[in-house]
Amino acid sequence: MSTKSAGTLYTIGAYLLWGVFPLYFLLLDPTGPFEVVAWRLLLTLVFCILLLAVTRGWEKLRVIWRQPKLLALTALAGALIYINWQVFVIAAMSGHVVETSLGYFINPIFTVLLGVLVLHERIRMAQWVAIGIAAVAVGVIIVAYGAFPWIALSLTASFGLYGLVKKKIGPSVDAVSGLTLESFWMIPIAAVILIVVAQDGHGITMGTVSPLHTVLLSCAGIATAVPLLLFAAGTRRVDLSLIGMIQFITPIMQFLLGWAVLGEPMPAERWIGFILVWIAIAVFVVDLLVQKGRGRREAAAELV
């Protein structure tokens, strides 16, 4: 298998796993969303430590530990990914899977906008058109549907900013070391959550519901780390333009899960907002394809 083919399969695998994540979290009932994320943080750290032990990656971690700037960036990345995980699990376990899909539909367009505002990148007219249509779509959902899509926008903002921080970190931090540190910085948050949960009326559910529930909850770390590591392995092997198109697998799956499987409401006003978002995505993807084709033609012309 070629490097590009392997990278494509890794990337598709990551997005497929993220697409079915809502079903996994629904299986964890009656555990609440805050307890789920607390165990997710702790068990992800445990899984990453095991990976470091198996792959003998301690030296890479020690090199990063000696660089305060990198440590600060991993801490910021950890805070952003915690926000993303917490909002997502709350949404998945409270019947708002469709809105999570909206957040991940908008995310690529928001990432382009971040590149303009933060990194001062220049973007093409088609990308500006996609950003404008997406903004109108959010406005329609707020005004016509009568509800502020805080879940979608929180997921978009947190994951977009997380990607920006990871770009700042660059190749200096490998995938396993990065996830290890991000989870490590969030230990105090996980500990506080578990203390609060232990003192409320329901208490901690780990090990108290059923053997199957305990196994499923114990797999939260693996379920978190595997798609992230597949994604990291894939992005090193394929073009960014290909990732730009593959990434829509996740929100499409989440939308179908929420609407067709879980029966979440989709009134006309919400359909209008989603259709506008899909038009923005179509503009975005077509522009990617055009630019990719143009790049190939220019490369071929140089060889002649």
PDB file of all heavy atoms in Angstrom, residues 211-225:
ATOM      1  N   PRO A 211     -21.306  -4.763  34.772  1.00  0.00           N
ATOM      2  CA  PRO A 211     -19.966  -5.059  34.214  1.00  0.00           C
ATOM      3  C   PRO A 211     -19.769  -4.470  32.819  1.00  0.00           C
ATOM      4  O   PRO A 211     -18.701  -3.941  32.509  1.00  0.00           O
ATOM      5  CB  PRO A 211     -19.928  -6.587  34.183  1.00  0.00           C
ATOM      6  CG  PRO A 211     -20.885  -7.005  35.258  1.00  0.00           C
ATOM      7  CD  PRO A 211     -21.982  -5.982  35.242  1.00  0.00           C
ATOM      8  N   LEU A 212     -20.809  -4.554  31.956  1.00  0.00           N
ATOM      9  CA  LEU A 212     -20.702  -4.007  30.604  1.00  0.00           C
ATOM     10  C   LEU A 212     -20.509  -2.494  30.644  1.00  0.00           C
ATOM     11  O   LEU A 212     -19.669  -1.950  29.912  1.00  0.00           O
ATOM     12  CB  LEU A 212     -21.953  -4.361  29.794  1.00  0.00           C
ATOM     13  CG  LEU A 212     -22.004  -3.781  28.371  1.00  0.00           C
ATOM     14  CD1 LEU A 212     -20.818  -4.284  27.548  1.00  0.00           C
ATOM     15  CD2 LEU A 212     -23.329  -4.132  27.691  1.00  0.00           C
ATOM     16  N   HIS A 213     -21.270  -1.829  31.491  1.00  0.00           N
ATOM     17  CA  HIS A 213     -21.149  -0.368  31.618  1.00  0.00           C
ATOM     18  C   HIS A 213     -19.745   0.001  32.086  1.00  0.00           C
ATOM     19  O   HIS A 213     -19.145   0.967  31.581  1.00  0.00           O
ATOM     20  CB  HIS A 213     -22.199   0.149  32.602  1.00  0.00           C
ATOM     21  CG  HIS A 213     -22.141   1.628  32.821  1.00  0.00           C
ATOM     22  ND1 HIS A 213     -21.329   2.212  33.774  1.00  0.00           N
ATOM     23  CD2 HIS A 213     -22.776   2.653  32.197  1.00  0.00           C
ATOM     24  CE1 HIS A 213     -21.470   3.520  33.735  1.00  0.00           C
ATOM     25  NE2 HIS A 213     -22.346   3.818  32.788  1.00  0.00           N
ATOM     26  N   THR A 214     -19.212  -0.740  33.031  1.00  0.00           N
ATOM     27  CA  THR A 214     -17.859  -0.463  33.539  1.00  0.00           C
ATOM     28  C   THR A 214     -16.821  -0.608  32.432  1.00  0.00           C
ATOM     29  O   THR A 214     -15.919   0.220  32.297  1.00  0.00           O
ATOM     30  CB  THR A 214     -17.522  -1.419  34.698  1.00  0.00           C
ATOM     31  OG1 THR A 214     -18.489  -1.230  35.746  1.00  0.00           O
ATOM     32  CG2 THR A 214     -16.127  -1.133  35.241  1.00  0.00           C
ATOM     33  N   VAL A 215     -16.964  -1.667  31.611  1.00  0.00           N
ATOM     34  CA  VAL A 215     -16.032  -1.886  30.494  1.00  0.00           C
ATOM     35  C   VAL A 215     -16.126  -0.743  29.490  1.00  0.00           C
ATOM     36  O   VAL A 215     -15.107  -0.203  29.035  1.00  0.00           O
ATOM     37  CB  VAL A 215     -16.313  -3.235  29.802  1.00  0.00           C
ATOM     38  CG1 VAL A 215     -15.508  -3.352  28.506  1.00  0.00           C
ATOM     39  CG2 VAL A 215     -15.981  -4.381  30.736  1.00  0.00           C
ATOM     40  N   LEU A 216     -17.362  -0.351  29.149  1.00  0.00           N
ATOM     41  CA  LEU A 216     -17.550   0.723  28.171  1.00  0.00           C
ATOM     42  C   LEU A 216     -16.971   2.043  28.670  1.00  0.00           C
ATOM     43  O   LEU A 216     -16.293   2.758  27.927  1.00  0.00           O
ATOM     44  CB  LEU A 216     -19.047   0.901  27.870  1.00  0.00           C
ATOM     45  CG  LEU A 216     -19.707  -0.193  27.030  1.00  0.00           C
ATOM     46  CD1 LEU A 216     -21.211  -0.005  26.991  1.00  0.00           C
ATOM     47  CD2 LEU A 216     -19.136  -0.201  25.620  1.00  0.00           C
ATOM     48  N   LEU A 217     -17.216   2.357  29.936  1.00  0.00           N
ATOM     49  CA  LEU A 217     -16.690   3.599  30.499  1.00  0.00           C
ATOM     50  C   LEU A 217     -15.166   3.540  30.615  1.00  0.00           C
ATOM     51  O   LEU A 217     -14.485   4.553  30.416  1.00  0.00           O
ATOM     52  CB  LEU A 217     -17.328   3.861  31.868  1.00  0.00           C
ATOM     53  CG  LEU A 217     -17.078   5.234  32.519  1.00  0.00           C
ATOM     54  CD1 LEU A 217     -17.412   6.373  31.570  1.00  0.00           C
ATOM     55  CD2 LEU A 217     -17.883   5.364  33.807  1.00  0.00           C
ATOM     56  N   SER A 218     -14.643   2.353  30.904  1.00  0.00           N
ATOM     57  CA  SER A 218     -13.193   2.195  31.016  1.00  0.00           C
ATOM     58  C   SER A 218     -12.487   2.355  29.667  1.00  0.00           C
ATOM     59  O   SER A 218     -11.285   2.620  29.625  1.00  0.00           O
ATOM     60  CB  SER A 218     -12.853   0.818  31.598  1.00  0.00           C
ATOM     61  OG  SER A 218     -13.391   0.674  32.899  1.00  0.00           O
ATOM     62  N   CYS A 219     -13.239   2.176  28.584  1.00  0.00           N
ATOM     63  CA  CYS A 219     -12.664   2.304  27.238  1.00  0.00           C
ATOM     64  C   CYS A 219     -12.673   3.742  26.734  1.00  0.00           C
ATOM     65  O   CYS A 219     -12.303   3.987  25.570  1.00  0.00           O
ATOM     66  CB  CYS A 219     -13.425   1.411  26.261  1.00  0.00           C
ATOM     67  SG  CYS A 219     -13.117  -0.354  26.502  1.00  0.00           S
ATOM     68  N   ALA A 220     -13.089   4.688  27.575  1.00  0.00           N
ATOM     69  CA  ALA A 220     -13.173   6.087  27.128  1.00  0.00           C
ATOM     70  C   ALA A 220     -11.828   6.623  26.655  1.00  0.00           C
ATOM     71  O   ALA A 220     -11.744   7.396  25.699  1.00  0.00           O
ATOM     72  CB  ALA A 220     -13.727   6.963  28.260  1.00  0.00           C
ATOM     73  N   GLY A 221     -10.759   6.208  27.329  1.00  0.00           N
ATOM     74  CA  GLY A 221      -9.425   6.664  26.937  1.00  0.00           C
ATOM     75  C   GLY A 221      -9.019   6.137  25.577  1.00  0.00           C
ATOM     76  O   GLY A 221      -8.506   6.875  24.729  1.00  0.00           O
ATOM     77  N   ILE A 222      -9.269   4.844  25.344  1.00  0.00           N
ATOM     78  CA  ILE A 222      -8.938   4.240  24.050  1.00  0.00           C
ATOM     79  C   ILE A 222      -9.789   4.856  22.951  1.00  0.00           C
ATOM     80  O   ILE A 222      -9.285   5.204  21.870  1.00  0.00           O
ATOM     81  CB  ILE A 222      -9.154   2.715  24.100  1.00  0.00           C
ATOM     82  CG1 ILE A 222      -8.233   2.085  25.143  1.00  0.00           C
ATOM     83  CG2 ILE A 222      -8.941   2.082  22.735  1.00  0.00           C
ATOM     84  CD1 ILE A 222      -8.486   0.616  25.374  1.00  0.00           C
ATOM     85  N   ALA A 223     -11.101   5.021  23.236  1.00  0.00           N
ATOM     86  CA  ALA A 223     -12.008   5.599  22.244  1.00  0.00           C
ATOM     87  C   ALA A 223     -11.612   7.020  21.876  1.00  0.00           C
ATOM     88  O   ALA A 223     -11.856   7.475  20.752  1.00  0.00           O
ATOM     89  CB  ALA A 223     -13.445   5.581  22.787  1.00  0.00           C
ATOM     90  N   THR A 224     -11.004   7.731  22.807  1.00  0.00           N
ATOM     91  CA  THR A 224     -10.556   9.097  22.550  1.00  0.00           C
ATOM     92  C   THR A 224      -9.245   9.116  21.780  1.00  0.00           C
ATOM     93  O   THR A 224      -9.091   9.856  20.798  1.00  0.00           O
ATOM     94  CB  THR A 224     -10.369   9.860  23.877  1.00  0.00           C
ATOM     95  OG1 THR A 224     -11.639   9.950  24.535  1.00  0.00           O
ATOM     96  CG2 THR A 224      -9.826  11.262  23.635  1.00  0.00           C
ATOM     97  N   ALA A 225      -8.300   8.304  22.216  1.00  0.00           N
ATOM     98  CA  ALA A 225      -6.946   8.368  21.668  1.00  0.00           C
ATOM     99  C   ALA A 225      -6.838   7.773  20.268  1.00  0.00           C
ATOM    100  O   ALA A 225      -6.117   8.317  19.418  1.00  0.00           O
ATOM    101  CB  ALA A 225      -5.976   7.669  22.610  1.00  0.00           C
TER     102      ALA A 225
END
